[in-house]
Amino acid sequence: MLQTTAESPLPQADAADPLELSLVVPVFNEEESVGPLIERICSAMTGFTKPWELILVDDGSTDATLANARRSLTREGLILRIVELQRNFGQTAAMQAGIDAANGRLIATMDGDLQNDPKDIPSMVGELERRQLDLLVGWRKNRQDGLLLRKIPSWCANYLIGRITGVKLHDYGCSLKIYRASIIKQVKLMGEMHRFIPAWVAGVVPSSRIGEVPVTHHARQHGTSKYGISRTFRVILDLLSVMFFMRYKARPGHFFGSLGLGLGALAAIILFWLFIDKFIFGDDIGSRPLLMVGVVLLLSSVQMITTGILAEMIARIYYRDDLSPNYIVRKIFDREHQDT
Protein backbone atom coordinates (compact mmCIF):
# COMPACT_ATOMS: atom_id res chain seq x y z
CA MET A 1 0.00 0.00 0.00
CA LEU A 2 1.29 3.42 -0.94
CA GLN A 3 0.24 5.90 1.70
CA THR A 4 1.27 9.41 2.66
CA THR A 5 0.32 11.93 5.27
CA ALA A 6 0.73 15.64 5.66
CA GLU A 7 4.31 15.05 6.76
CA SER A 8 5.42 12.71 3.95
CA PRO A 9 5.82 13.68 0.28
CA LEU A 10 4.07 11.90 -2.54
CA PRO A 11 6.18 9.27 -4.33
CA GLN A 12 7.89 10.18 -7.58
CA ALA A 13 8.44 8.12 -10.70
CA ASP A 14 11.72 6.55 -11.72
CA ALA A 15 13.90 9.17 -13.36
CA ALA A 16 15.00 6.53 -15.92
CA ASP A 17 11.53 6.64 -17.49
CA PRO A 18 10.74 10.35 -17.85
CA LEU A 19 7.19 11.39 -18.62
CA GLU A 20 6.40 14.23 -20.96
CA LEU A 21 2.97 15.06 -19.57
CA SER A 22 0.98 14.52 -16.38
CA LEU A 23 -2.76 15.13 -16.67
CA VAL A 24 -4.26 16.05 -13.28
CA VAL A 25 -8.02 15.78 -12.80
CA PRO A 26 -9.67 16.49 -9.41
CA VAL A 27 -13.03 14.72 -9.03
CA PHE A 28 -15.69 14.99 -6.36
CA ASN A 29 -18.93 12.98 -6.54
CA GLU A 30 -18.63 12.39 -10.30
CA GLU A 31 -19.62 8.69 -10.34
CA GLU A 32 -21.44 9.01 -13.67
CA SER A 33 -18.76 11.13 -15.32
CA VAL A 34 -15.49 9.50 -14.25
CA GLY A 35 -15.77 6.43 -16.51
CA PRO A 36 -16.63 8.38 -19.70
CA LEU A 37 -13.98 10.93 -18.69
CA ILE A 38 -11.21 8.33 -18.73
CA GLU A 39 -12.49 7.00 -22.06
CA ARG A 40 -12.41 10.45 -23.61
CA ILE A 41 -8.95 11.18 -22.26
CA CYS A 42 -7.56 7.91 -23.65
CA SER A 43 -9.18 8.59 -27.01
CA ALA A 44 -7.92 12.18 -27.13
CA MET A 45 -4.34 11.17 -26.24
CA THR A 46 -4.10 8.36 -28.82
CA GLY A 47 -2.03 10.51 -31.15
CA PHE A 48 0.21 11.88 -28.39
CA THR A 49 3.44 10.02 -29.07
CA LYS A 50 5.35 10.88 -25.89
CA PRO A 51 4.87 9.15 -22.49
CA TRP A 52 2.07 10.58 -20.36
CA GLU A 53 0.17 9.71 -17.20
CA LEU A 54 -3.28 10.39 -15.80
CA ILE A 55 -3.65 11.37 -12.14
CA LEU A 56 -7.17 11.37 -10.72
CA VAL A 57 -7.55 13.03 -7.32
CA ASP A 58 -10.63 11.81 -5.48
CA ASP A 59 -11.48 14.74 -3.22
CA GLY A 60 -13.36 12.78 -0.56
CA SER A 61 -16.22 11.61 -2.80
CA THR A 62 -19.17 10.03 -0.97
CA ASP A 63 -20.54 8.16 -4.00
CA ALA A 64 -19.05 5.50 -6.31
CA THR A 65 -16.54 7.84 -7.97
CA LEU A 66 -13.48 6.08 -6.55
CA ALA A 67 -14.79 2.58 -7.26
CA ASN A 68 -15.67 3.50 -10.86
CA ALA A 69 -12.26 5.09 -11.40
CA ARG A 70 -10.39 2.06 -10.06
CA ARG A 71 -11.90 -0.12 -12.80
CA SER A 72 -9.54 1.58 -15.25
CA LEU A 73 -6.35 0.79 -13.32
CA THR A 74 -5.74 -2.30 -15.46
CA ARG A 75 -6.51 -0.59 -18.76
CA GLU A 76 -3.82 -1.47 -21.30
CA GLY A 77 -1.54 1.38 -22.31
CA LEU A 78 -2.79 3.75 -19.60
CA ILE A 79 -0.56 4.96 -16.77
CA LEU A 80 -3.19 5.81 -14.17
CA ARG A 81 -2.75 6.79 -10.56
CA ILE A 82 -5.63 7.63 -8.24
CA VAL A 83 -4.90 9.81 -5.25
CA GLU A 84 -7.60 9.36 -2.61
CA LEU A 85 -7.80 12.24 -0.15
CA GLN A 86 -8.87 11.56 3.40
CA ARG A 87 -11.82 13.95 3.17
CA ASN A 88 -13.15 16.74 0.98
CA PHE A 89 -10.48 19.48 1.03
CA GLY A 90 -11.78 21.48 -1.94
CA GLN A 91 -10.71 21.80 -5.56
CA THR A 92 -7.61 23.87 -4.82
CA ALA A 93 -6.15 21.36 -2.37
CA ALA A 94 -7.07 18.47 -4.68
CA MET A 95 -5.33 20.19 -7.57
CA GLN A 96 -2.27 20.79 -5.39
CA ALA A 97 -2.21 17.09 -4.44
CA GLY A 98 -2.28 16.12 -8.11
CA ILE A 99 0.46 18.59 -9.01
CA ASP A 100 2.63 17.29 -6.17
CA ALA A 101 2.12 13.72 -7.39
CA ALA A 102 2.83 14.57 -11.04
CA ASN A 103 6.05 13.31 -12.64
CA GLY A 104 5.73 14.83 -16.10
CA ARG A 105 7.85 17.62 -17.55
CA LEU A 106 4.57 19.33 -18.34
CA ILE A 107 1.38 19.29 -16.25
CA ALA A 108 -2.14 19.67 -17.58
CA THR A 109 -5.19 20.25 -15.38
CA MET A 110 -8.86 19.95 -16.23
CA ASP A 111 -12.24 19.45 -14.56
CA GLY A 112 -13.76 16.02 -14.11
CA ASP A 113 -17.33 16.90 -15.11
CA LEU A 114 -16.87 16.36 -18.90
CA GLN A 115 -17.24 20.07 -19.66
CA ASN A 116 -13.59 20.46 -20.65
CA ASP A 117 -12.62 18.55 -23.78
CA PRO A 118 -9.37 16.52 -23.50
CA LYS A 119 -9.00 16.69 -27.29
CA ASP A 120 -7.63 20.20 -26.78
CA ILE A 121 -4.69 18.98 -24.68
CA PRO A 122 -2.28 17.78 -27.43
CA SER A 123 -2.73 20.98 -29.41
CA MET A 124 -2.30 23.08 -26.26
CA VAL A 125 0.97 21.28 -25.51
CA GLY A 126 2.20 22.13 -28.98
CA GLU A 127 1.05 25.73 -28.63
CA LEU A 128 2.83 26.13 -25.29
CA GLU A 129 6.08 24.88 -26.80
CA ARG A 130 5.70 26.90 -29.99
CA ARG A 131 5.12 30.15 -28.10
CA GLN A 132 7.72 29.25 -25.42
CA LEU A 133 5.26 29.84 -22.58
CA ASP A 134 5.31 28.63 -19.00
CA LEU A 135 1.52 28.59 -18.67
CA LEU A 136 -1.17 28.27 -21.32
CA VAL A 137 -4.73 28.93 -20.16
CA GLY A 138 -7.86 27.66 -21.88
CA TRP A 139 -10.44 30.25 -22.95
CA ARG A 140 -14.02 28.94 -23.03
CA LYS A 141 -14.96 31.28 -25.87
CA ASN A 142 -18.34 29.58 -26.42
CA ARG A 143 -19.10 28.72 -22.82
CA GLN A 144 -22.02 26.33 -22.32
CA ASP A 145 -23.30 27.69 -19.01
CA GLY A 146 -26.19 29.80 -17.78
CA LEU A 147 -25.98 33.51 -18.65
CA LEU A 148 -27.21 35.07 -15.41
CA LEU A 149 -25.71 32.78 -12.77
CA ARG A 150 -22.45 31.74 -14.46
CA LYS A 151 -21.43 33.86 -17.47
CA ILE A 152 -22.11 37.39 -16.21
CA PRO A 153 -20.44 36.87 -12.79
CA SER A 154 -17.52 35.23 -14.60
CA TRP A 155 -17.12 38.16 -17.00
CA CYS A 156 -17.14 40.63 -14.10
CA ALA A 157 -14.65 38.53 -12.12
CA ASN A 158 -12.28 38.15 -15.09
CA TYR A 159 -12.30 41.91 -15.65
CA LEU A 160 -11.61 42.70 -12.00
CA ILE A 161 -8.88 40.07 -11.69
CA GLY A 162 -7.17 41.33 -14.83
CA ARG A 163 -7.28 44.94 -13.67
CA ILE A 164 -5.96 44.21 -10.18
CA THR A 165 -3.34 41.57 -10.98
CA GLY A 166 -2.19 42.97 -14.32
CA VAL A 167 -2.53 39.54 -15.98
CA LYS A 168 -5.27 40.14 -18.54
CA LEU A 169 -7.02 36.94 -19.61
CA HIS A 170 -10.51 36.28 -20.94
CA ASP A 171 -11.17 33.28 -18.71
CA TYR A 172 -9.50 32.85 -15.34
CA GLY A 173 -11.99 30.18 -14.30
CA CYS A 174 -11.19 27.59 -16.96
CA SER A 175 -9.50 24.61 -15.31
CA LEU A 176 -7.99 23.41 -18.60
CA LYS A 177 -4.42 24.69 -18.39
CA ILE A 178 -0.94 23.50 -19.37
CA TYR A 179 2.05 24.29 -17.14
CA ARG A 180 5.74 23.63 -17.11
CA ALA A 181 6.12 21.47 -14.02
CA SER A 182 9.25 23.32 -12.90
CA ILE A 183 7.19 26.52 -12.71
CA ILE A 184 3.88 25.42 -11.19
CA LYS A 185 5.67 23.43 -8.50
CA GLN A 186 7.13 26.71 -7.24
CA VAL A 187 3.59 27.91 -6.50
CA LYS A 188 1.73 26.69 -3.42
CA LEU A 189 -2.06 26.79 -3.81
CA MET A 190 -4.08 27.60 -0.69
CA GLY A 191 -7.74 28.18 0.18
CA GLU A 192 -9.77 28.46 -3.03
CA MET A 193 -7.04 30.13 -5.04
CA HIS A 194 -7.17 27.79 -8.05
CA ARG A 195 -9.12 30.54 -9.84
CA PHE A 196 -6.10 32.85 -9.56
CA ILE A 197 -3.36 30.46 -10.68
CA PRO A 198 -2.23 32.74 -13.56
CA ALA A 199 -1.79 35.57 -11.04
CA TRP A 200 0.28 33.36 -8.73
CA VAL A 201 2.38 32.15 -11.67
CA ALA A 202 2.95 35.79 -12.62
CA GLY A 203 4.75 36.12 -9.29
CA VAL A 204 7.26 33.51 -10.47
CA VAL A 205 7.68 34.36 -14.17
CA PRO A 206 6.97 37.45 -16.34
CA SER A 207 3.34 37.80 -17.47
CA SER A 208 4.62 37.60 -21.05
CA ARG A 209 5.24 33.88 -20.39
CA ILE A 210 1.51 33.36 -19.77
CA GLY A 211 -0.86 32.94 -22.70
CA GLU A 212 -4.34 31.71 -23.57
CA VAL A 213 -5.99 29.85 -26.40
CA PRO A 214 -9.69 29.16 -27.20
CA VAL A 215 -10.84 25.69 -26.14
CA THR A 216 -13.98 23.60 -26.50
CA HIS A 217 -16.54 23.70 -23.72
CA HIS A 218 -19.47 21.30 -23.27
CA ALA A 219 -22.64 21.56 -21.22
CA ARG A 220 -22.71 19.45 -18.06
CA GLN A 221 -24.10 15.99 -18.80
CA HIS A 222 -24.21 14.33 -15.37
CA GLY A 223 -24.60 15.45 -11.78
CA THR A 224 -24.95 19.02 -10.59
CA SER A 225 -22.59 21.96 -10.52
CA LYS A 226 -20.59 22.41 -7.32
CA TYR A 227 -20.76 26.20 -7.71
CA GLY A 228 -23.55 28.75 -7.35
CA ILE A 229 -24.02 32.51 -7.25
CA SER A 230 -22.47 32.54 -3.75
CA ARG A 231 -19.11 31.87 -5.42
CA THR A 232 -19.12 35.50 -6.61
CA PHE A 233 -18.72 36.80 -3.06
CA ARG A 234 -15.93 34.32 -2.32
CA VAL A 235 -14.15 35.41 -5.49
CA ILE A 236 -14.25 39.05 -4.34
CA LEU A 237 -12.75 38.14 -0.96
CA ASP A 238 -10.14 35.91 -2.60
CA LEU A 239 -9.28 38.70 -5.02
CA LEU A 240 -8.50 41.02 -2.12
CA SER A 241 -6.22 38.34 -0.70
CA VAL A 242 -4.50 37.92 -4.07
CA MET A 243 -3.95 41.66 -4.35
CA PHE A 244 -2.40 41.72 -0.88
CA PHE A 245 -0.17 38.69 -1.46
CA MET A 246 1.02 39.83 -4.89
CA ARG A 247 2.08 43.22 -3.58
CA TYR A 248 2.99 42.61 0.05
CA LYS A 249 3.59 38.87 0.53
CA ALA A 250 7.30 39.31 1.19
CA ARG A 251 6.92 42.68 2.95
CA PRO A 252 3.61 42.83 4.88
CA GLY A 253 5.15 45.37 7.22
CA HIS A 254 4.99 47.92 4.39
CA PHE A 255 1.21 47.47 4.09
CA PHE A 256 0.37 47.73 7.78
CA GLY A 257 3.14 50.26 8.38
CA SER A 258 1.79 52.57 5.68
CA LEU A 259 -1.67 52.46 7.25
CA GLY A 260 -0.15 53.04 10.67
CA LEU A 261 1.91 56.02 9.54
CA GLY A 262 -1.11 57.53 7.80
CA LEU A 263 -3.29 57.18 10.88
CA GLY A 264 -0.43 58.47 13.05
CA ALA A 265 0.00 61.55 10.87
CA LEU A 266 -3.71 62.33 11.10
CA ALA A 267 -3.65 61.81 14.87
CA ALA A 268 -0.61 64.11 15.19
CA ILE A 269 -2.38 66.89 13.27
CA ILE A 270 -5.51 66.60 15.44
CA LEU A 271 -3.63 66.48 18.74
CA PHE A 272 -1.32 69.32 17.73
CA TRP A 273 -4.32 71.50 16.92
CA LEU A 274 -5.93 70.63 20.26
CA PHE A 275 -2.63 71.45 22.03
CA ILE A 276 -2.64 74.92 20.46
CA ASP A 277 -6.32 75.34 21.23
CA LYS A 278 -5.76 74.42 24.87
CA PHE A 279 -2.51 76.16 25.78
CA ILE A 280 -2.61 79.18 23.47
CA PHE A 281 -6.29 80.01 23.12
CA GLY A 282 -7.25 78.64 26.56
CA ASP A 283 -10.24 76.62 25.34
CA ASP A 284 -11.51 73.58 27.24
CA ILE A 285 -10.83 70.42 25.18
CA GLY A 286 -11.61 67.74 27.79
CA SER A 287 -15.17 67.16 26.54
CA ARG A 288 -14.54 67.61 22.83
CA PRO A 289 -15.14 64.53 20.58
CA LEU A 290 -12.10 65.52 18.51
CA LEU A 291 -9.84 64.65 21.43
CA MET A 292 -11.25 61.13 21.56
CA VAL A 293 -10.84 60.81 17.76
CA GLY A 294 -7.21 61.86 18.00
CA VAL A 295 -6.43 59.42 20.81
CA VAL A 296 -8.14 56.52 18.98
CA LEU A 297 -6.23 57.32 15.79
CA LEU A 298 -2.97 57.41 17.71
CA LEU A 299 -3.65 54.02 19.32
CA SER A 300 -4.71 52.60 15.94
CA SER A 301 -1.46 53.87 14.43
CA VAL A 302 0.61 52.10 17.09
CA GLN A 303 -1.44 48.93 16.62
CA MET A 304 -0.98 48.93 12.84
CA ILE A 305 2.76 49.47 13.07
CA THR A 306 3.22 46.69 15.63
CA THR A 307 0.99 44.42 13.50
CA GLY A 308 3.30 45.11 10.58
CA ILE A 309 6.34 44.15 12.62
CA LEU A 310 4.66 40.91 13.72
CA ALA A 311 3.59 40.20 10.13
CA GLU A 312 7.19 40.61 8.96
CA MET A 313 8.35 38.12 11.59
CA ILE A 314 5.63 35.62 10.61
CA ALA A 315 6.47 36.00 6.91
CA ARG A 316 10.11 35.15 7.59
CA ILE A 317 9.10 32.07 9.57
CA TYR A 318 6.71 31.08 6.75
CA TYR A 319 9.37 31.28 4.07
CA ARG A 320 11.79 29.32 6.20
CA ASP A 321 9.58 26.53 7.57
CA ASP A 322 6.42 26.18 5.43
CA LEU A 323 6.78 22.77 3.81
CA SER A 324 3.51 21.10 4.88
CA PRO A 325 0.79 20.43 2.27
CA ASN A 326 -2.80 21.57 2.70
CA TYR A 327 -4.26 18.09 2.19
CA ILE A 328 -3.96 14.57 3.60
CA VAL A 329 -3.76 11.55 1.31
CA ARG A 330 -5.44 8.35 2.47
CA LYS A 331 -4.17 6.01 -0.30
CA ILE A 332 -2.68 6.02 -3.77
CA PHE A 333 -3.82 3.40 -6.26
CA ASP A 334 -1.95 2.38 -9.39
CA ARG A 335 -1.54 -0.75 -11.52
CA GLU A 336 0.65 -2.46 -8.92
CA HIS A 337 -1.43 -1.34 -5.92
CA GLN A 338 -5.07 -1.81 -6.90
CA ASP A 339 -6.60 -3.41 -3.82
CA THR A 340 -4.73 -1.85 -0.88
Side-chain angles (χ1 to χ4, degrees):
M1 178 179 69
L2 295 178
Q3 185 169 348
T4 184
T5 65
E7 289 76 22
S8 58
L10 292 169
Q12 301 296 314
D14 187 351
D17 185 25
L19 293 169
E20 176 69 8
L21 176 69
S22 295
L23 175 53
V24 174
V25 186
V27 289
F28 174 63
N29 288 347
E30 299 286 359
E31 60 181 358
E32 296 177 295
S33 300
V34 68
L37 171 69
I38 295 173
E39 290 290 337
R40 290 189 184 185
I41 290 174
C42 291
S43 175
M45 300 298 289
T46 300
F48 194 77
T49 57
K50 297 181 180 179
W52 63 279
E53 66 175 349
L54 172 60
I55 299 174
L56 292 178
V57 183
D58 178 40
D59 188 23
S61 297
T62 56
D63 59 5
T65 298
L66 178 60
N68 292 346
R70 290 176 62 183
R71 294 193 182 104
S72 298
L73 286 170
T74 57
R75 184 184 180 109
E76 191 65 30
L78 173 64
I79 302 175
L80 171 63
R81 281 187 292 154
I82 304 173
V83 179
E84 180 191 5
L85 300 188
Q86 189 164 292
R87 61 171 175 83
N88 178 243
F89 288 90
Q91 187 175 358
T92 302
M95 192 173 292
Q96 181 71 67
I99 290 172
D100 290 343
N103 300 306
R105 185 180 68 87
L106 303 176
I107 297 176
T109 58
M110 61 179 290
D111 283 334
D113 55 10
L114 300 178
Q115 291 194 267
N116 296 138
D117 197 329
K119 290 182 179 179
D120 291 314
I121 293 175
S123 61
M124 289 182 70
V125 170
E127 185 73 3
L128 178 122
E129 297 289 15
R130 184 184 68 81
R131 294 165 61 180
Q132 297 184 349
L133 300 174
D134 291 318
L135 167 60
L136 184 62
V137 181
W139 171 19
R140 297 167 293 184
K141 198 170 185 178
N142 297 310
R143 185 173 178 177
Q144 304 300 308
D145 281 321
L147 178 64
L148 183 61
L149 297 180
R150 300 298 296 274
K151 287 186 178 180
I152 292 179
S154 179
W155 292 336
C156 295
N158 289 326
Y159 174 78
L160 286 174
I161 296 170
R163 290 281 296 180
I164 290 176
T165 64
V167 184
K168 299 184 186 299
L169 299 172
H170 290 91
D171 191 357
Y172 263 82
C174 182
S175 294
L176 184 54
K177 299 179 176 72
I178 309 290
Y179 316 82
R180 296 191 189 275
S182 59
I183 299 300
I184 191 58
K185 291 199 176 191
Q186 297 179 43
V187 178
K188 183 172 182 178
L189 306 179
M190 302 291 291
E192 296 187 14
M193 296 299 183
H194 61 276
R195 306 182 188 96
F196 305 100
I197 288 178
W200 295 123
V201 172
V204 179
V205 299
S207 58
S208 59
R209 304 273 303 182
I210 301 172
E212 65 179 346
V213 64
V215 296
T216 306
H217 190 248
H218 301 287
R220 174 177 275 276
Q221 301 177 28
H222 305 289
T224 58
S225 174
K226 310 302 186 294
Y227 303 104
I229 191 65
S230 62
R231 180 180 65 162
T232 303
F233 304 104
R234 295 198 298 270
V235 168
I236 294 174
L237 295 175
D238 288 342
L239 183 55
L240 294 176
S241 299
V242 170
M243 180 177 65
F244 175 82
F245 274 96
M246 288 189 68
R247 298 180 182 179
Y248 300 104
K249 180 180 179 181
R251 47 188 180 90
H254 289 200
F255 174 78
F256 293 104
S258 297
L259 290 177
L261 291 176
L263 294 174
L266 187 57
I269 293 172
I270 292 174
L271 295 177
F272 181 70
W273 165 251
L274 291 176
F275 177 86
I276 294 176
D277 205 20
K278 170 68 176 178
F279 293 101
I280 295 182
F281 297 105
D283 293 335
D284 182 20
I285 64 171
S287 59
R288 294 178 62 175
L290 192 61
L291 177 62
M292 182 62 66
V293 172
V295 171
V296 170
L297 287 175
L298 180 62
L299 294 176
S300 298
S301 172
V302 173
Q303 185 177 27
M304 284 293 177
I305 292 174
T306 54
T307 299
I309 295 172
L310 291 174
E312 288 281 349
M313 295 172 63
I314 293 172
R316 281 160 173 73
I317 294 172
Y318 170 84
Y319 280 115
R320 185 185 65 194
D321 298 334
D322 186 50
L323 299 174
S324 60
N326 55 339
Y327 58 87
I328 301 175
V329 174
R330 183 186 300 275
K331 296 177 183 177
I332 299 178
F333 303 93
D334 56 21
R335 187 181 295 271
E336 286 74 31
H337 303 83
Q338 301 175 35
D339 303 318
T340 57

